[in-house]
Amino acid sequence: MKILFILGPNLNMVGIRDRATYGTETAESINADVQRFADELGVELEIYQSNHEGDIIDKIHAAYGNTDGIMINAGALTHYSYALADAISSVHIPTVETHMSNIGAREEFRRKSVISPVCIGTIAGFGKTSYFLGLRALEDHLGKKENVK
C-alpha cells in the first residue's frame, strides 16, 4: 500500500512558527515519527512538502495511477485553493485531510475548508497525532476497499 503525505505552505516551519498553536517539535522530527508509524503499519509512505500551490497540484497529478491514498495538510491552501480541491477530485485517489490544530476553533477564515468536500474524511486538532490518526484511517479505508474486490 502506497500513501503520499503532502504538507503545504509553511509546514516546514513547524517548531519555529506559532509555537502556541503548533508546539516546539520540529517538522523534521514529526515527519520522522510519521514515517516510523507508517513503517510499523507496513505502509510505503512518501512525505512531500512544498510552499508552492502549483507544485503540490503537480505532485497530486503525478500520484495518479501509482498511489493508493493521499494524506494532506494543505496549510493555508485548505481555506481558499479550489485548484487544489479540483486536483484532489480529478485523480480519484482516496484522500484524508489532516491538521495539527483545530481549524474550527481558530480564526474565522480558517474555519472553512474548500478541500473537505473532496476528501473521504478530516482529522484535526490533535497535534502530530492527527497525522497518525489520518494515516491509520486511510490505511483502514484502503484495506476495506481491497477486500471488496
Side-chain angles (χ1 to χ4, degrees), residues 116-136:
S116 284
V118 296
C119 293
I120 61 171
T122 301
I123 298 171
F126 298 99
K128 75 176 178 182
T129 302
S130 292
Y131 299 150
F132 303 144
L133 295 169
L135 190 57
R136 182 59 197 227

Side-chain angles (χ1 to χ4, degrees), residues 61-138:
H61 290 173
Y64 180 74
N66 61 37
T67 300
D68 300 304
I70 297 172
M71 183 169 73
I72 185 167
N73 180 344
L77 296 174
T78 299
H79 315 293
Y80 67 86
S81 181
Y82 293 100
L84 183 58
D86 287 346
I88 294 167
S89 180
S90 71
V91 295
H92 306 288
I93 299 171
T95 301
V96 171
E97 175 185 9
T98 58
H99 299 282
M100 290 179 68
S101 68
N102 179 355
I103 63 173
R106 294 194 58 197
E107 304 93 334
E108 186 66 34
F109 80 93
R110 293 189 198 274
R111 294 180 186 164
K112 177 172 171 51
S113 168
V114 301
I115 67 171
S116 284
V118 296
C119 293
I120 61 171
T122 301
I123 298 171
F126 298 99
K128 75 176 178 182
T129 302
S130 292
Y131 299 150
F132 303 144
L133 295 169
L135 190 57
R136 182 59 197 227
L138 187 53

Side-chain angles (χ1 to χ4, degrees), residues 3-25:
I3 295 176
L4 172 62
F5 179 24
I6 298 174
L7 296 155
N10 300 309
L11 290 168
N12 58 312
M13 300 301 287
V14 168
I16 298 167
R17 70 179 272 240
D18 194 1
R19 291 178 176 183
T21 300
Y22 300 105
T24 58
E25 191 170 1

Side-chain angles (χ1 to χ4, degrees), residues 16-90:
I16 298 167
R17 70 179 272 240
D18 194 1
R19 291 178 176 183
T21 300
Y22 300 105
T24 58
E25 191 170 1
T26 67
E28 293 80 15
S29 115
I30 292 169
N31 291 347
D33 287 346
V34 173
Q35 183 63 63
R36 275 190 292 279
F37 185 68
D39 293 344
E40 290 172 15
L41 292 175
V43 169
E44 181 183 345
L45 183 68
E46 177 185 357
I47 300 174
Y48 175 79
Q49 190 278 324
S50 179
N51 294 315
H52 305 281
E53 181 179 30
D55 291 344
I56 294 170
I57 290 167
D58 288 343
K59 190 68 172 178
I60 292 168
H61 290 173
Y64 180 74
N66 61 37
T67 300
D68 300 304
I70 297 172
M71 183 169 73
I72 185 167
N73 180 344
L77 296 174
T78 299
H79 315 293
Y80 67 86
S81 181
Y82 293 100
L84 183 58
D86 287 346
I88 294 167
S89 180
S90 71

